[in-house]
Amino acid sequence: MFFLRQQRNRISSNILLFFLWQIFIFHCFSQAITLAGTQPVKVTMGEDTKVLDEVVVTALGIKRSEKALTYNVQQVKGDELTTVKSTNFMSALAGKAAGVQINSSASGPGGGVKVVMRGAKSITQNNNALYVIDGIPMYNRASSGGDGAMATQPSSESIADINPDDIESMSLLTGPSAAALYGYEGANGVVLITTKKGRADKTTVTYSNNTTFSDPMMMPKFQNTYGNLAGETMSWGLETDKRYDPANFFNTGSNISNALSLSTGNDKSQSYISVATTNAAGIMPNNDYDRYNFSFRNTTNFLNNKFILDTSANYIIQNDKNMVSQGQYFNPLTALYLFPRGEDFNDVTVYERYDDLSGVSTQYWPYGDLGGVSSQNPYWIMNRMNRENDRRRYKLAASLQYNIIEGLNVQGRVSVDNTESKYTEKFHAGTVGNFAGTKGRYKEERRMDRQIYADVLANFNKTFKDFNVMANLGASIKDLRMESSSLHGDLNNVTNHFTIENLTRSGYYKVDANGLKRQTQSVFANAEIGWRSFLFLSLTGRADWDSSLALSDRGNKAFFYPSVGISSILSEVIDLPEWFSFLKARFSFTSVGNAYDPYLTKARYIYDDQLDQYKTESLYPNSDLKPEITKSYEAGLNMRFFKGALNFDITYYNSDTRNQTFAAPLPASAGYTAVNIQAGSVQNQGIEMALGYNNEWRDFGWSTNFTFTYNKNKIKRLADGVTNRITGEPIEMPYVDKARLGGSTSPVVRLTEGGSMGDLYINRDFKRDNNGYIYLDAKTGLPSMVETEYKKIGSLLPKVNLGWRNSFTYKGVRLNVLLSGRFGGLVVSNTQAFLDRCGVSEYSAQLRQTGGVTINDRNVSAKDYLGIVAAGTGEGDHYVYNATNIRLQEVSLEYTLPKKWLYNIADVTLGLIGNNLAMIYCKAPFDPELVASSSSTFYTGVDYFMQPSLRNMGFSVKVQF
């Protein structure tokens, strides 16, 4: 491990040194140009003050001078999200920002993206970042489909509904200090999105097309050398001449995106209108994702510019079909990967046969449960077990700003965000009995999500001699409602007639209704005082009244979040060398909360669909709960060199999240199984670095950016020894198990004091003799696995994340190349364990060819050995792998046609594009950055028949009139 750590550090250092050396060489050559027959000509670059004093959008949509910020904010331009498009534009952020970890889910087109900033902070709450669009927080509904082997249908997420072509820019507020004005919702950081507006005195029509095709980038390695014995399904037979490639099951995926927009206006009114379509097909048969976006925005000034009215409307139609993440159920990959190698797979491509008894076509699958999992014909799962989501979403927003006097205005905003969705499951007759009756099974679920947000904000900005004062004072209200109802049952009279009227009432039949009401009322204030444009003091405060606290002992008490920060432009007061253009130092501190889930403070009843009656919630209501509190500070430097051509930003942060929630067990006599108690804390500390260079030499330009992220997660305390307020006795909690990554013998994510939120523990090993040697049974000559004390083998969490982006331009040609890397951490492959045990993996064939495994000078056959270490979903640490990987993340080659070729009518740009193109280094048998669930904190870094990660290549066209 020490050697690996040295190698990892050496690789990181070499990359950074090479990066700096290239900048030095390029910059030196840019300073002097020798012309033929003349003396060297000195070229002096003028200082770009705009680069050194840009205006950025921060919390609540407030625009601030970048040099005055007391915390780290990273900007991402809209074209960086649209150069290489995906169905969820958030995946385009991978490798482009420091302090942000991006993991795409394995559920296919439209799948969720996990966005975690500065490490996971909460043991029980969601750790994903908050999305804010034009200053309004967005409710991001996402469904992972559940964790583990029995995971059900995943779905898309609300942020994927946004058309990336409508995005002007994005600000990443990675720390709580930057997001303090959003209260508990901003504790995990904020993705701040600013959408496009119309432009005055200019009419622009833009059309863009982005078409990509997908195929698996990383798949398990299979064997075709050995087949199966007659009557058996495992491939431990003799050599075979049959050839079977599971990849042939996959289609070529596609994603065709079209966008058309109109921007127009005059000095009084500006409008922006857009229409976009996204039509994608996954690599799985009959897996589709379609989205249609309609957007309108108008900004109008009236009454001598005293009033500014900004209105917008968005309507989104989104449909997805047969998304598959992982697990045994609803997953064709189990049967596809484990198919016996001596059989003819073409025989089951005709997946249904007519049944005379039932009078309908039923499933053809003569192989039963392969590998002990609930396998069915892969084609049947994708064509006769259809799972569909239909969503309709509309967003209406309006803001009115009144400019009272110069430097003082008042703004009011209101937004309505409604989503109506219908989810159906249609399982045809012939599906295995666990999932459907003899005539089929149908589920229909309808859900409505509604968020109403409103705020009022007073803004003041005035200069008094050497002082500049900017202040904001406001209040907001956010009301969230959710209602859902579903019917689920076997079909009764007509086979494969999928309607709720055709559901049985006497067999399998379930009814469910659910709802949520949550409201947050807030007041907030922000003040920034600048002195002589080099020293800045920033103060913020926010108080929230959240309905989840309403029935607690705290009643109507608000929880308050303060923050304070200071920054100084040292280059204004320190005599620096000429090449050292800018130096800023900053420090900030904040305390921000994270409210717990609703309905934990009062006894409630839940419906038991098995008993068809209500029963009391098993969790004892605790009226003494407090919000989680994250106290965080950060310090950083921002530097610019060579008149702004070279920039370097570095930030150190340290956060401590307290009042973590745990379920403490209760005795049976209490009538409840557990009670929520709050104790302990989780610490995250780390470093964010961004190094960039941008310069031009005549027709050639080079822009490069290097990002470095280091985060160390530590559990400082659990609830061990804390007094249980119900029993009055100290709680025994030396550890908390959060996720079993596979079956009962696979590694478990265990939390302990001093450990991290990704620590892996195992309790299985070979049986050993008194000398520590592997024990072989005297009769069978085979080793065996036994239960041991739990021991830590590492962590799922990465140590370092790197990104290196380069953009080269020459006349009308632009080449963009992005490399990304993750160093450290572990992953678990349950899939590899199944493949080894069933004899279909390349490793199993190699082991057979080498004669098995030698243990204590005795030979153990490949079949016997893998039958032991790969039992279940893998024993102990035998299927744990290093997660370090480096990949070619993104490439685009674009050419802008000379406008004169088109008679100066339009700008046309043609491009060849690709992302996730190649894995340069990876020792794991699957993509370590792929996750089964975009919302789970602990069930991550595990492959249980996940879809493979995809390589995407295609072309783009952009025309602007």
Side-chain angles (χ1 to χ4, degrees), residues 305-309 399-403 409-412 459:
N305 293 331
K306 283 289 186 180
F307 290 90
I308 302 175
L309 177 64
S399 72
L400 180 63
Q401 179 177 309
Y402 173 39
N403 296 316
N409 66 71
V410 177
Q411 175 182 270
N459 306 290

Side-chain angles (χ1 to χ4, degrees), residues 12 242 519 792:
S12 303
K242 296 286 183 64
Q519 187 176 106
K792 179 181 173 181

Side-chain angles (χ1 to χ4, degrees), residues 521-743:
Q521 300 174 11
S522 311
V523 294
F524 43 83
N526 171 61
E528 178 188 287
I529 303 172
W531 183 60
R532 293 187 176 181
S533 297
F534 93 91
L535 187 63
F536 301 89
L537 174 66
S538 178
L539 302 168
T540 69
R542 178 180 173 113
D544 281 348
W545 289 264
D546 191 275
S547 61
S548 63
L549 294 169
L551 299 176
S552 69
D553 292 344
R554 301 178 181 278
N556 293 321
K557 294 180 180 178
F559 42 107
F560 179 68
Y561 321 113
S563 76
V564 58
I566 187 170
S567 66
S568 176
I569 314 301
L570 299 178
S571 53
E572 295 289 331
V573 293
I574 298 177
D575 189 15
L576 297 173
E578 182 180 352
W579 52 267
F580 202 144
S581 310
F582 178 82
L583 174 62
K584 181 179 84 170
R586 49 188 168 78
F587 175 84
S588 62
F589 170 82
T590 189
S591 176
V592 62
N594 191 356
Y596 45 80
D597 290 336
Y599 313 124
L600 297 180
T601 59
K602 182 182 178 181
R604 60 191 294 252
Y605 296 90
I606 58 174
Y607 179 71
D608 188 331
D609 54 18
Q610 300 293 328
L611 302 176
D612 191 24
Q613 64 184 24
Y614 282 94
K615 63 179 183 180
T616 307
E617 171 69 69
S618 62
L619 198 63
Y620 189 95
N622 187 346
S623 60
D624 190 39
L625 294 179
K626 304 178 290 293
E628 291 183 357
I629 295 294
T630 298
K631 294 187 176 181
S632 173
Y633 64 84
E634 68 175 75
L637 295 173
N638 300 88
M639 291 167 274
R640 305 289 183 267
F641 308 94
F642 307 119
K643 307 299 182 182
L646 175 66
N647 65 80
F648 179 61
D649 301 328
I650 183 170
T651 302
Y652 169 79
Y653 61 86
N654 189 310
S655 68
D656 186 7
T657 305
R658 303 176 182 177
N659 298 338
Q660 301 283 348
T661 304
F662 303 93
L666 292 176
S669 59
Y672 295 87
T673 59
V675 59
N676 276 331
I677 55 95
Q678 291 179 307
S681 65
V682 173
Q683 181 188 68
N684 282 277
Q685 58 178 327
I687 297 173
E688 298 169 353
M689 289 194 299
L691 179 64
Y693 182 72
N694 186 17
N695 210 343
E696 293 183 359
W697 301 266
R698 294 183 179 270
D699 294 329
F700 177 76
W702 178 41
S703 175
T704 184
N705 293 275
F706 182 84
T707 61
F708 172 93
T709 302
Y710 166 80
N711 182 79
K712 184 178 181 181
N713 177 275
K714 182 179 181 180
I715 300 172
K716 296 180 67 176
R717 192 184 175 198
L718 296 175
D720 194 39
V722 176
T723 301
N724 188 321
R725 66 186 299 267
I726 305 302
T727 64
E729 299 177 353
I731 297 170
E732 294 185 11
M733 191 177 290
Y735 63 86
V736 178
D737 288 343
K738 299 300 294 186
R740 176 72 68 171
L741 303 187

Side-chain angles (χ1 to χ4, degrees), residues 80 84-86 90-97 102-104 217 801-805 816-822 885-892 913-920 927 929-930 949-953:
E80 296 178 33
V84 183
K85 289 183 183 176
S86 64
M90 286 303 300
S91 62
L93 278 181
K96 295 179 181 178
I102 305 291
N103 297 103
S104 296
M217 183 190 69
N801 285 282
L802 302 177
W804 187 15
R805 181 174 39 164
N816 298 315
V817 180
L818 172 64
L819 296 173
S820 64
R822 172 245 178 94
N885 66 91
I886 303 173
R887 76 185 66 211
L888 182 57
Q889 183 73 49
E890 188 175 290
V891 173
S892 65
I913 56 177
N915 75 331
N916 209 33
L917 291 173
M919 191 68 76
I920 299 172
D927 189 341
E929 302 308 299
L930 204 61
S949 61
L950 301 180
R951 177 190 296 108
N952 307 288
M953 295 183 290

